[in-house]
Amino acid sequence: MTGPRRLVVRSARVVDPDTPSRLADVVVEDRVVADIVGAGAAAIDGDTTVIDGSDHLLLPGAINSHTHSGQHLDRGVAPPLPLDHWLMWVVHGGLELGPEEAHTLAIAGAIEMLESGCTAVLDQVWVPPGEVAAHTDSIMDAYAEVGLRAVVAPMVQDRDILESLLLAPDRPRPAPLTDAVPAEDLAAEVETFVTTWLGARHGLVPAIGPSAPQRCSDELLTRLASIRRRHDVPFHTHVLETRDQVVATRRRYGRSVVAHLDDLDLLGSWASLAHGVWMDADEFSTVQERSATIVHNPVSNLRCGSGLLPLAGLLEGGVSVALGADGAASNDAQNMFEVMKIAALIQTMSGAHRSWPDAVDVWRACLHGGARALVQPTGAPGGLGTIRPGAAADLVLVDDARHPLDHEEALIRSLVLAERGDGVRTVIVGGRVVVESGRVTSVDRRAAMRRSRQLQQRIHAEATERATFYERHRELLDAAHLHATSLPCPVERRARITPAFEVPHTLAPHHRAHLGPEGGV
């Protein structure tokens, strides 16, 4: 943190999900909230920075608990596709980018997140084997420069995507897309990253982040579990994002993949599991018993047709749930206000209306669940997701003009459902002001945007090559998807919608009489 060690946000309406809103001064010292006093009452001295909070709401910074910085400029790249098809188009068909491009991508995403009120992220970033150090150093440097709090987990795997597909018994398995990398080598690279960055810079935390169990050997997962224990760092992975993964992992392990992770000592309060859409009741119970966190990614789940997480039941059952934007290639943005709105609204598609989560439930998931996912829980000293003495000074000032101020519940709903992030005026991360007048000031924003635009043009220039690569594998992906969907699954997470022009069987005979022979009027 540079500049004065003391900062006062004066006369703002402080809005926290667990306390009534009130006009107050918030005093920041040494990266944390030191005090909250009446509006205009904080003492000011010559070493104090004063920020005028009048006509503004002061919120805890939002937490994005799952994204992939390597996709920050892939907005609009992929057509609507189910996950494995999408992976072939976006991930395996994309450009090979180096550490310099990784830095540009991380800066681009950090600017978008900060300017829309997000102050912390869990970045599960793909890194090429043999280049983990160069890429992660570049990404960590980017987050340090722009001032976004970050947990970074290099995404590694030693099983090819084609090995993870469930194919019909009579279907020969194709050759892998890439050469195998020994689990020992991958684990050694990850441990070097962890030891290099653990405690190196305030606000940056290294983590363990295997891609997904089905794309990792047990040897790799066991080695990563050992590294996690030795260094006491967070663990993050994708789990049961799609129906296909349920049947594929049960066929591989002969049991639940969640139980398998548990036996490998990869579930605990330090673990967060992205998606979890297709877990069954026993799996959700295991997650709850181990105090792990599920990271709900509603936008990308919709984008890839993955299904609906039973959020209301999880919250009622005491499961820790956080929110993530997921990568821009499966979201097309990094706006946590948008994520919260969609997370709230899609729950109306299931269950009685009395069970639907309210806006404050979703906001708590973003803040408190996010703090747990980043292993910086709300109640701990320096914890995230709240405005109270001792909490991290991750604060966001939002113009209050759009929001009702005289009705507490309406104010929270308005923030979750009506705020778009364009009302963000000032952002403070760990006591450092990084956004002023709605724009990032911690780096040369214009130069960063110029580099981002140039890289984005390169990424989109090879769209035809991506499509060609995908088409080479489409028939195999279709066959695997159809085979997986033909097999029984213990849960259902997708809607069954009556087709637009299907005549319901329950239509009364006297109504059928008005329809023509083809169902028309």
Side-chain angles (χ1 to χ4, degrees):
M1 177 177 170
T2 60
R5 297 176 62 83
R6 190 170 186 273
L7 181 152
V8 172
V9 181
R10 171 146 281 181
S11 300
R13 182 174 292 275
V14 179
V15 187
D16 184 279
D18 296 324
T19 57
S21 66
R22 70 277 196 200
L23 290 174
D25 290 357
V26 175
V27 181
V28 173
E29 295 179 357
D30 297 329
R31 301 191 179 114
V32 301
V33 175
D35 203 0
I36 303 173
V37 298
I44 305 298
D45 59 33
D47 195 35
T48 300
T49 297
V50 180
I51 297 174
D52 182 11
S54 58
D55 301 321
H56 287 77
L57 308 172
L58 186 65
L59 316 176
I63 300 171
N64 181 359
S65 297
H66 179 68
T67 195
H68 307 289
S69 60
Q71 299 173 16
H72 280 332
L73 299 177
D74 274 0
R75 292 186 291 273
V77 162
L81 292 168
L83 181 66
D84 287 328
H85 294 64
W86 175 91
L87 284 169
M88 197 66 70
W89 187 295
V90 170
V91 177
H92 298 283
L95 283 174
E96 293 186 8
L97 302 175
E100 183 177 346
E101 289 90 353
H103 184 275
T104 296
L105 288 161
I107 289 282
I111 290 174
E112 182 177 354
M113 284 182 265
L114 286 169
E115 292 183 350
S116 57
C118 176
T119 57
V121 66
L122 198 164
D123 181 7
Q124 189 185 27
V125 61
W126 183 83
V127 287
E131 300 179 39
V132 172
H135 278 252
T136 53
D137 285 354
S138 186
I139 291 162
M140 294 295 243
D141 285 342
Y143 286 131
E145 291 167 23
V146 78
L148 182 69
R149 191 182 298 274
V151 174
V152 175
M155 186 164 58
V156 295
Q157 63 186 73
D158 63 346
R159 296 185 78 230
D160 189 81
I161 182 177
L162 300 183
E163 293 181 85
S164 71
L165 299 177
L166 181 62
L167 302 177
D170 59 349
R171 179 112 191 183
R173 188 162 296 280
L177 294 175
T178 57
D179 294 333
V181 179
E184 182 179 7
D185 294 350
L186 286 172
E189 286 195 86
V190 170
E191 186 157 27
T192 296
F193 161 68
V194 169
T195 56
T196 299
W197 283 98
L198 188 60
R201 295 193 192 180
H202 179 79
L204 299 180
V205 176
I208 307 297
S211 174
Q214 68 272 16
R215 293 188 283 272
C216 296
S217 67
D218 281 359
E219 179 187 356
L220 177 58
L221 291 175
T222 299
R223 289 179 179 275
L224 294 177
S226 179
I227 296 169
R228 198 222 66 76
R229 287 192 300 272
R230 280 198 297 276
H231 302 288
D232 192 23
V233 291
F235 172 83
H236 184 76
T237 191
H238 299 83
V239 177
L240 295 182
E241 185 171 352
T242 68
R243 185 187 190 282
D244 293 13
Q245 292 173 9
V246 178
V247 293
T249 55
R250 294 208 173 203
R251 180 69 58 86
R252 177 182 175 187
Y253 299 118
R255 58 177 179 155
S256 155
V257 67
V258 173
H260 191 70
L261 287 173
D262 194 25
D263 282 352
L264 293 175
D265 193 23
L266 286 171
L267 293 182
S269 60
W270 31 262
S272 57
L273 311 176
H275 301 287
V277 175
W278 290 83
M279 291 185 190
D280 63 22
D282 289 340
E283 291 166 323
F284 285 135
S285 293
T286 299
V287 171
Q288 194 271 340
E289 290 166 4
R290 298 293 180 266
S291 300
T293 296
I294 291 174
V295 184
H296 181 29
N297 299 275
V299 181
S300 67
N301 290 343
L302 291 170
R303 182 76 151 84
C304 295
S306 298
L308 180 64
L309 183 80
L311 178 62
L314 296 182
L315 296 178
E316 184 178 354
V319 178
S320 175
V321 180
L323 295 182
D326 213 338
S330 62
N331 178 303
D332 307 285
Q334 293 293 292
N335 188 319
M336 292 307 295
F337 282 110
E338 177 186 68
V339 170
M340 286 190 286
K341 178 173 183 172
I342 291 177
L345 295 183
I346 61 173
Q347 291 300 310
T348 66
M349 296 293 99
S350 176
H353 71 276
R354 293 182 182 275
S355 71
W356 298 342
D358 202 348
V360 71
D361 301 313
V362 174
W363 194 26
R364 284 197 186 100
C366 179
L367 298 178
H368 300 350
R372 288 176 63 89
L374 273 62
V375 196
Q376 300 185 57
T378 296
L384 307 181
T386 189
I387 304 177
R388 66 177 71 163
D394 290 9
L395 308 170
V396 176
L397 273 173
V398 176
D399 190 328
D400 69 10
R402 181 178 291 148
H403 306 291
L405 305 179
D406 299 324
H407 188 283
E408 194 75 18
E409 290 183 0
L411 174 58
I412 302 299
R413 291 191 189 111
S414 181
L415 281 168
V416 171
L417 301 176
E419 181 56 53
R420 301 187 296 262
D422 56 344
V424 171
R425 295 292 175 264
T426 303
V427 177
I428 302 163
V429 182
R432 176 188 179 191
V433 178
V434 293
V435 172
E436 298 179 69
S437 301
R439 288 290 180 261
V440 161
T441 56
S442 49
V443 294
D444 185 337
R445 189 182 187 280
R446 181 174 295 182
M449 291 297 97
R450 183 173 62 252
R451 291 192 298 271
S452 297
R453 174 59 67 183
Q454 292 168 349
L455 180 55
Q456 190 174 48
Q457 289 170 346
R458 281 179 55 199
I459 289 170
H460 283 264
E462 48 83 56
T464 301
E465 288 79 3
R466 285 193 185 202
T468 301
F469 179 86
Y470 167 76
E471 284 297 326
R472 289 204 298 269
H473 302 280
R474 182 169 62 85
E475 191 274 332
L476 172 67
L477 294 167
D478 285 346
H481 183 60
L482 287 172
H483 177 60
T485 54
S486 72
L487 299 174
C489 180
V491 297
E492 182 56 67
R493 304 294 186 214
R494 297 182 65 184
R496 300 184 183 277
I497 305 297
T498 303
F501 295 101
E502 178 179 290
V503 179
H505 295 297
T506 56
L507 195 64
H510 66 279
H511 287 152
R512 286 179 178 271
H514 294 289
L515 300 179
E518 300 301 323
V521 177

